[in-house]
Amino acid sequence: MTEPTRRDLGGRQADRVDALVEATIAELRANGYDGLTVRNVARRANVAAATAYSYFGSKDHLVAEVFWRRLAALPTVSIDRRGSTLTRVSAVLRELALLVANEPELAAASTTAILAADPDVQRLRDQIGAAFNERLVAALGDDAEPAVVRALNLALAGALLQAGMGYFSYTQLADRMDEVAGVLLGANR
Amino acid sequence: MTEPTRRDLGGRQADRVDALVEATIAELRANGYDGLTVRNVARRANVAAATAYSYFGSKDHLVAEVFWRRLAALPTVSIDRRGSTLTRVSAVLRELALLVANEPELAAASTTAILAADPDVQRLRDQIGAAFNERLVAALGDDAEPAVVRALNLALAGALLQAGMGYFSYTQLADRMDEVAGVLLGANR
DNA sequence: CTAGTGTCTGGACACCTGTCCAGCCAATGG
DNA sequence: CCATTGGCTGGACAGGTGTCCAGACACTAG
């Protein structure tokens, strides 16, 4: 295999990828998004720059991967049938909102990174969007109105964006989304 | 005045700024966002790179300015009291959605540019957000529920984002926002 | 033990970015 | 008519980005 392909982790190369991801988090905490450089991350992970680039094509790819891993690590939505739909949706939204809430640097970086044009990032973005949608649908139940699902997805995207831009905190984000869910679900139920 | 200040257009320097803005549009049409460079725009506008930089600190600033000018050029919302609230909101949303709809390059570029960290862009972003909100409020009327206004703003931000990312076209965007507005306004009226 | 294979390294590369500054030029005011 | 002044020029600058490659290295198989 001449080309590293950057996708299927060979197994023991996963270690290198893990090291890079860890180093990204450390670097973000230490120097923030602006100070983040593929080369810096590589150095911190004791890896040559060229090697890092063979796994991650850009700093945004690194950060997006961090976010994706956190999201993927979330446990599956538990469908607590006793609570109301709104309660479940609230819980899911809160969970998503707080993924990066207590690490401001990471939060801001994620927002920016996920929007990058880089095709590697685009792949992750699609995955992230799908995961968001999946969790929303799980919370809403099978009988959810498609229009409500779409509206919630849009609002969530908008809210994450605005939080990332600093218009409000990620904690407030959760409250805002609660409000949106309340209005939307109050509508047809 | 030693520092150009980049803000108040002296009057006859506005011509240079205009030339740069025009050149940005032309350059976008010709070479797309990737090909866009402050230096390229400067060349096209027959201006030295250093001069261009004295007015616009980054390519994103250029593009954001283009978007802002379009938005600012929109006529004020006419409050047609005969139509329903939903009709008015729909009209406003459609107007905003279609600002850049027929120029794909510009649309994609705007989305990316407006999200940039550049402080000059941030200023414009705030203005743009305010203008969006203002138009929504005007369409909704004074008695609008604040929660609904916030929800619409979030959804609009999310929709513009997703359209910019290529998940759907700006024309579809208008339809999606209609749907959201329908659900939200159907709720408490 | 040795050959083979695939990965990692370090350094060079071309290109882009935003900033700086000495000198030029055109308009204004005396 | 000159002197002054402020903006513009063009070219150089230090940094950063992503790519490339020849050679070093470490496993694995024979």
Side-chain angles (χ1 to χ4, degrees):
Chain A
M1 196 188 297
T2 302
E3 196 197 355
T5 62
R6 200 177 289 171
R7 260 145 205 76
D8 47 349
L9 37 104
R12 76 191 180 294
Q13 283 156 272
D15 292 346
R16 276 224 152 67
V17 174
D18 290 349
L20 286 168
V21 170
E22 282 310 311
T24 302
I25 298 173
E27 191 66 25
L28 269 178
R29 282 202 250 261
N31 302 327
Y33 185 69
D34 287 337
L36 195 72
T37 289
V38 174
R39 278 172 168 82
N40 284 348
V41 172
R43 193 172 314 126
R44 196 181 274 266
N46 292 313
V47 153
T51 308
Y53 270 111
S54 82
Y55 291 110
F56 295 94
S58 66
K59 70 187 218 169
D60 291 321
H61 188 190
L62 278 165
V63 176
E65 178 72 24
V66 171
F67 186 86
W68 166 244
R69 289 191 171 206
R70 300 225 168 177
L71 179 54
L74 278 185
T76 330
V77 181
S78 63
I79 342 110
D80 179 1
R81 296 208 169 277
R82 284 171 308 177
S84 69
T85 305
L86 181 53
T87 311
R88 288 199 303 276
V89 172
S90 261
V92 166
L93 287 169
R94 198 160 290 272
E95 209 177 30
L96 295 177
L98 300 185
L99 260 185
V100 288
N102 41 3
E103 280 147 304
E105 275 304 346
L106 184 53
S110 300
T111 311
T112 307
I114 286 174
L115 302 172
D118 181 336
D120 290 315
V121 172
Q122 184 162 355
R123 229 184 62 250
L124 287 170
R125 189 165 58 225
D126 290 346
Q127 291 178 21
I128 291 166
F132 278 7
N133 184 62
E134 193 184 319
R135 298 182 85 83
L136 278 178
V137 168
L140 281 164
D142 298 333
D143 55 337
E145 291 234 20
V148 172
V149 180
R150 282 193 286 267
L152 272 176
N153 267 307
L154 288 184
L156 179 56
L160 283 168
L161 180 62
Q162 300 207 358
M165 295 298 172
Y167 291 120
F168 43 74
S169 77
Y170 277 76
T171 314
Q172 287 174 298
L173 189 165
D175 297 333
R176 303 245 174 164
M177 284 308 300
D178 265 5
E179 186 182 69
V180 175
V183 178
L184 280 170
L185 292 177
N188 50 338
R189 165 130 312 267
Chain B
M1 194 189 298
T2 303
E3 198 197 354
T5 62
R6 201 178 286 172
R7 261 147 202 74
D8 48 349
L9 37 103
R12 75 192 183 291
Q13 284 156 270
D15 292 347
R16 277 227 150 67
V17 174
D18 290 349
L20 286 168
V21 171
E22 282 310 310
T24 302
I25 298 173
E27 191 67 24
L28 269 177
R29 282 203 251 261
N31 302 328
Y33 185 69
D34 287 337
L36 195 72
T37 290
V38 174
R39 278 171 167 82
N40 283 347
V41 171
R43 194 173 312 128
R44 197 180 274 266
N46 292 312
V47 153
T51 308
Y53 270 110
S54 83
Y55 291 111
F56 295 95
S58 67
K59 69 187 220 168
D60 291 321
H61 188 189
L62 277 165
V63 176
E65 177 72 24
V66 170
F67 187 86
W68 167 245
R69 290 192 170 206
R70 299 224 169 181
L71 179 55
L74 277 186
T76 330
V77 182
S78 63
I79 343 106
D80 179 1
R81 296 209 170 276
R82 286 170 308 178
S84 70
T85 305
L86 181 53
T87 311
R88 288 199 303 276
V89 171
S90 262
V92 166
L93 286 169
R94 198 161 291 272
E95 211 176 31
L96 295 177
L98 300 184
L99 260 185
V100 289
N102 42 4
E103 281 147 303
E105 275 304 345
L106 184 53
S110 301
T111 311
T112 308
I114 286 174
L115 302 172
D118 180 337
D120 290 315
V121 171
Q122 184 163 354
R123 231 185 61 249
L124 287 171
R125 187 165 61 224
D126 290 345
Q127 289 179 20
I128 291 167
F132 278 8
N133 185 63
E134 192 185 321
R135 299 181 84 83
L136 278 177
V137 168
L140 281 165
D142 297 333
D143 55 337
E145 292 236 20
V148 173
V149 180
R150 283 193 285 267
L152 272 176
N153 267 309
L154 287 184
L156 179 55
L160 283 168
L161 179 62
Q162 300 208 358
M165 295 299 173
Y167 291 121
F168 43 74
S169 75
Y170 277 76
T171 314
Q172 288 174 297
L173 188 165
D175 297 334
R176 304 247 174 161
M177 284 309 299
D178 266 6
E179 187 182 69
V180 175
V183 178
L184 280 172
L185 291 177
N188 50 338
R189 167 134 310 266

